[in-house]
Amino acid sequence: TVTALLRNDFYYLEVSNALSEANYRLTVFMLIRSAVTLALMGATVVVTCMNTRRVANPIKFLKKQMDQIHRLKFDGQLRADSYISEIHNIQETFIHMRHCLQSFGKFVPKYLIERVTSSDENVRLAARRLGMRKEVCTVLHISLQGFDGMSEALNPTELVHVLEMYLTCCTRVVE
């Protein structure tokens, strides 16, 4: 019976040591797994912040540009620089719209554009009715002496610039 007890104690000690070793390995594995999980979660947070900025920054820039256009300020050059295709498309469309409004502004007085694009509904409605009433008005017809020769001598860009300056001066006089 003493031998049987020793044998049982020996097996018990062996099993106990094996269980302790298994528990130790399991604990180490769980710690490593927890550390890897935390590292992946941290990396996910960093990548999410970076991607959020990639989306938010171009949209914030467009918002500032829209505010400038609302005030009819067309300063600076724009470029579509987002890596996200949908935002890039919005940027390109916005640049085209800005260019069209800027070109439109060359032919229509600024005060009229301000009235048509006003956030005040009453001002906008009044601006829409601008062409809907009969009035006696004066029309200025301009014939530029030597225009044919000047238009042949200048390149198109220079000619448009000269006409733009001349018509801007005439518009100020009429206004």
Side-chain angles (χ1 to χ4, degrees):
T1 50
V2 173
T3 311
L5 282 175
L6 284 177
R7 240 186 240 152
N8 284 341
D9 284 345
F10 177 73
Y11 289 124
Y12 175 76
L13 197 58
E14 239 181 77
V15 168
S16 177
N17 284 341
L19 284 174
S20 293
E21 173 99 14
N23 280 337
Y24 174 76
R25 286 183 181 175
L26 183 62
T27 303
V28 168
F29 171 76
M30 294 298 282
L31 286 173
I32 290 172
R33 187 174 126 193
S34 296
V36 168
T37 301
L38 284 173
L40 286 174
M41 287 173 61
T44 301
V45 167
V46 169
V47 168
T48 301
C49 288
M50 289 172 51
N51 284 335
T52 300
R53 286 188 188 141
R54 290 178 101 179
V55 171
N57 288 343
I59 292 174
K60 286 178 186 177
F61 182 73
L62 281 174
K63 167 67 169 97
K64 287 179 185 176
Q65 290 299 312
M66 287 179 191
D67 290 342
Q68 282 188 342
I69 286 178
H70 184 73
R71 293 186 308 274
L72 300 177
K73 305 267 187 228
F74 299 102
D75 303 331
Q77 292 291 325
L78 295 180
R79 64 185 188 288
D81 59 357
S82 178
Y83 298 107
I84 300 168
S85 63
E86 291 82 0
I87 294 176
H88 184 83
N89 292 341
I90 292 169
Q91 287 174 325
E92 285 181 336
T93 303
F94 178 79
I95 290 168
H96 179 72
M97 180 193 71
R98 180 179 182 244
H99 177 71
C100 290
L101 286 172
Q102 192 173 11
S103 297
F104 183 66
K106 291 179 182 179
F107 305 103
V108 177
K110 185 177 179 181
Y111 76 89
L112 184 59
I113 295 173
E114 288 172 345
R115 289 175 65 184
V116 170
T117 60
S118 172
S119 58
D120 182 354
E121 184 67 24
N122 293 330
V123 174
R124 271 201 323 269
L125 287 173
R128 287 186 192 134
R129 290 189 296 256
L130 282 175
M132 297 184 184
R133 62 179 184 237
K134 290 185 179 183
E135 285 190 28
V136 175
C137 63
T138 304
V139 176
L140 175 63
H141 176 75
I142 300 173
S143 177
L144 300 174
Q145 185 176 3
F147 179 75
D148 290 341
M150 180 175 59
S151 65
E152 291 172 2
L154 298 174
N155 70 42
T157 304
E158 292 171 331
L159 182 63
V160 167
H161 181 68
V162 168
L163 286 173
E164 196 174 290
M165 288 185 343
Y166 181 79
L167 293 173
T168 298
C169 291
C170 290
T171 302
R172 286 187 193 134
V173 170
V174 170
E175 288 178 341

